[in-house]
Amino acid sequence: MQQVFTDIPTKTSVEQKIVALLHEGDKQSVRLIFKHYGVVLLNVIQRVVGNRAMSEEVLQQVLLKVWQNAQSYNAQKAGLYSWLVAISRNAALDQRKTKDFKLTQASRDALEVMALENKADASNSIDKMVTEQLLEQLSDHYQILIKMSFFEGYSHQEISDTLNIPLGTVKTRIRMALKQLRAII
Amino acid sequence: MDVQKYIASGVLEAYWAGELNEQEMREVEAMASQHPEVKQELEELREALNEFAAMKDALPDEDVLNEAMKEVEESEQNRFWEVLSEDDRSFVKRAKFSLWAVAATILLLISLGFNFYFFGQFQQAREELAQAKVESQQLAQQISDTRENLEYAQLRIAHFLNEDNIHVRMEGEDISPESYANVFWNKKTNAVFISVDNLPEPPHGHQYQLWAIKPGQPPIDAGIFDHNQLVQELKVVKGKVQAFAVTLEKEGGSPVATVDKTYVKGFLQAG
């Protein structure tokens, strides 16, 4: 019996909290999933869909599906993230089959230019300047790797192809990049 | 398996990057549930990525959440209506096939009507009873008060009539000209009784005190008394008393009379 008690972690993780809320049918679970998993899920979707704006639409559908299927989630069978990823990948694949998707493929480049402009507008505040300074410590090629791998939906193979780096090196460098990032923030 | 080596392998980063297939992800999660270090590393990686995304304006648009929450609310409402309409349908079905249900419903409604009527009557009767109880309590209180007054009056008369008593009527002083009170001093037992006839309600934390006054001496404490009790026995006083007086003192009385707070005073008749 003693063993059972020592196994219980002293701090509740974000994952445990979300799982508990999901089972209680508490809408707060959806907010927390967006807050803590939104970035990585959007990336997973973007790997399939490609276009960011459309990926956000898919993420929106994913959140609704998560809510509607909350009761079917079994924490014994899968971790929260792999369950979320499964829903996200299915939704992203469904999106690829739509007419909408095929139409936007054509204007994908134009949209990306707009997205870049929006980002430039937002980076004027003092806060941004402080974080920019902080991030100067993180070399550019590391920043690019993190962005491509985690925010822009590139697979490791695609990064290897685009940047012309061997696949093994991509993996090592992503790990080093995150290590450095964690040291800074 | 060497946990540190596992962490250093880059598989955890690949996990968050969406690089792993379902099977591989479950393997990572199994490792995390066995090794707290792996679990912690995973959480820290996710947090670092979220912070970096915030710095780089790479967070998903907040509208995504807002729109999703709207849809969540709508889906809840729809489900609510579905449940309701399902109920409707089943009700109609049953009503069609069973006249007994209709008859039972009508009977139930009639019964509810009677219940309602009788409950109203019952409530009214209960209120009347409560009212009567209050009135009877008030009456009992009045009787008890009256009886007490009567007892005091009888006691007072008895003191007046008692030939062993010296009676001193104390008249109001400047501080309270309307006031008066009576002292009965028993010649045989030297007991002192006071009859509180007309003294104002003492202020909070104060009490009246009776003093016996002998020539050439400071006033002698004859006892504190309760303003609410009409006739009460106080201390025994002996010797040649010239007068009695009542002063207002702090609650519990005072060893020395506060002379300028004298409310009533009366002299013994010479002889």
Side-chain angles (χ1 to χ4, degrees), chain B residues 44-245:
Chain B
E44 283 177 13
L45 278 173
R46 196 197 61 235
E47 278 163 23
L49 285 169
N50 282 336
E51 282 190 45
F52 186 63
M55 288 171 176
K56 286 288 174 188
D57 280 323
L59 291 178
D61 199 319
E62 200 67 24
D63 279 348
V64 171
L65 177 65
N66 296 336
E67 290 300 314
M69 291 314 285
K70 260 190 225 161
E71 288 178 353
V72 164
E73 304 271 347
E74 275 170 26
S75 88
E76 279 220 299
Q77 273 173 11
N78 286 343
R79 222 166 53 185
F80 178 71
W81 287 119
E82 270 168 28
V83 171
L84 275 189
S85 53
E86 264 168 31
D87 277 4
D88 275 357
R89 259 178 269 135
S90 50
F91 177 73
V92 171
K93 233 187 241 169
R94 249 181 270 134
K96 226 184 239 172
F97 290 104
S98 166
L99 282 172
W100 284 112
V102 177
T105 309
I106 291 168
L107 281 176
L108 179 69
L109 285 175
I110 293 169
S111 150
L112 279 176
F114 275 113
N115 283 351
F116 191 71
Y117 173 73
F118 284 122
F119 183 70
Q121 296 254 309
F122 168 69
Q123 282 291 77
Q124 199 184 338
R126 210 158 69 165
E127 272 164 30
E128 280 170 9
L129 181 65
Q131 181 71 24
K133 252 186 198 166
V134 170
E135 276 168 16
S136 95
Q137 270 168 6
Q138 282 169 346
L139 217 59
Q141 184 63 42
Q142 275 173 16
I143 291 170
S144 147
D145 287 351
T146 311
R147 184 180 293 153
E148 210 171 296
N149 284 344
L150 183 66
E151 277 169 11
Y152 281 135
Q154 282 172 340
L155 197 56
R156 202 159 164 265
I157 291 167
H159 280 296
F160 267 115
L161 295 179
N162 189 338
E163 285 181 356
D164 291 337
N165 276 355
I166 297 170
H167 167 230
V168 182
R169 184 181 161 93
M170 299 183 291
E171 298 289 350
E173 294 288 287
D174 292 345
I175 202 169
S176 180
E178 302 286 305
S179 295
Y180 67 92
N182 287 287
V183 166
F184 303 99
W185 186 25
N186 193 299
K187 283 181 286 191
K188 283 186 176 159
T189 63
N190 292 314
V192 173
F193 298 86
I194 185 152
S195 164
V196 183
D197 299 305
N198 186 15
L199 280 170
E201 178 88 30
H204 184 76
H206 289 75
Q207 230 176 348
Y208 288 114
Q209 190 167 359
L210 181 71
W211 304 89
I213 298 162
K214 294 179 182 175
Q217 284 182 34
I220 297 151
D221 173 26
I224 45 177
F225 57 89
D226 188 345
H227 173 259
N228 295 320
Q229 246 180 303
L230 285 179
V231 179
Q232 25 196 317
E233 183 169 356
L234 301 178
K235 290 185 175 176
V236 169
V237 175
K238 293 177 181 170
K240 194 174 158 52
V241 174
Q242 197 177 24
F244 284 100

Side-chain angles (χ1 to χ4, degrees), chain A residues 49-116:
Chain A
V49 175
N51 172 293
R52 174 146 178 126
M54 195 170 267
S55 297
E56 288 192 327
E57 277 174 35
V58 175
L59 179 59
Q60 191 181 313
Q61 296 162 16
V62 166
L63 292 176
L64 181 62
K65 281 187 179 151
V66 163
W67 172 250
Q68 288 169 336
N69 296 308
Q71 292 308 318
S72 73
Y73 172 61
N74 181 353
Q76 307 296 323
K77 267 176 71 186
L80 177 65
Y81 183 53
S82 57
W83 182 64
L84 293 172
V85 166
I87 294 177
S88 300
R89 280 178 179 158
N90 281 337
L93 287 170
D94 285 347
Q95 182 70 24
R96 273 183 80 109
K97 291 176 200 154
T98 60
K99 225 188 220 170
D100 235 16
F101 174 77
K102 282 158 193 162
L103 281 174
T104 28
Q105 271 309 84
S107 54
R108 182 181 172 176
D109 294 341
L111 273 170
E112 274 182 2
V113 171
M114 274 169 63
L116 277 176

Side-chain angles (χ1 to χ4, degrees), chain A:
Chain A
M1 276 314 278
Q2 201 62 35
Q3 193 56 35
V4 175
F5 286 112
T6 49
D7 277 352
I8 295 169
T10 46
K11 201 182 118 196
T12 329
S13 67
V14 171
E15 181 176 344
Q16 285 167 317
K17 192 172 171 190
I18 292 173
V19 170
L21 289 171
L22 268 178
H23 280 293
E24 284 165 19
D26 190 325
K27 288 186 209 103
Q28 188 64 16
S29 58
V30 179
R31 292 183 188 282
L32 288 177
I33 287 169
F34 178 79
K35 187 180 166 200
H36 294 283
Y37 293 85
V39 170
V40 280
L41 290 178
L42 186 61
N43 185 56
V44 165
I45 295 164
Q46 213 170 331
R47 284 170 75 110
V48 181
V49 175
N51 172 293
R52 174 146 178 126
M54 195 170 267
S55 297
E56 288 192 327
E57 277 174 35
V58 175
L59 179 59
Q60 191 181 313
Q61 296 162 16
V62 166
L63 292 176
L64 181 62
K65 281 187 179 151
V66 163
W67 172 250
Q68 288 169 336
N69 296 308
Q71 292 308 318
S72 73
Y73 172 61
N74 181 353
Q76 307 296 323
K77 267 176 71 186
L80 177 65
Y81 183 53
S82 57
W83 182 64
L84 293 172
V85 166
I87 294 177
S88 300
R89 280 178 179 158
N90 281 337
L93 287 170
D94 285 347
Q95 182 70 24
R96 273 183 80 109
K97 291 176 200 154
T98 60
K99 225 188 220 170
D100 235 16
F101 174 77
K102 282 158 193 162
L103 281 174
T104 28
Q105 271 309 84
S107 54
R108 182 181 172 176
D109 294 341
L111 273 170
E112 274 182 2
V113 171
M114 274 169 63
L116 277 176
E117 279 170 358
N118 286 341
K119 275 182 193 170
D121 283 346
S123 57
N124 287 334
S125 66
I126 295 173
D127 269 3
K128 284 285 167 314
M129 282 165 66
V130 174
T131 57
E132 287 296 333
Q133 276 175 0
L134 259 175
L135 288 178
E136 269 174 25
Q137 297 169 50
L138 188 65
S139 59
D140 281 350
H141 66 275
Y142 276 169
Q143 291 203 30
I144 289 167
L145 272 176
I146 297 177
K147 283 204 271 186
M148 286 178 86
S149 178
F150 294 101
F151 308 152
E152 289 166 6
Y154 285 88
S155 70
H156 289 181
Q157 187 60 55
E158 285 166 342
I159 296 171
S160 161
D161 293 345
T162 314
L163 301 181
N164 207 10
I165 316 169
L167 186 58
T169 315
V170 170
K171 291 186 175 166
T172 326
R173 286 207 188 150
I174 286 176
R175 177 161 163 72
M176 294 314 292
L178 274 177
K179 211 171 176 182
Q180 245 192 51
L181 172 66
R182 281 161 72 190
I184 294 168
I185 58 182

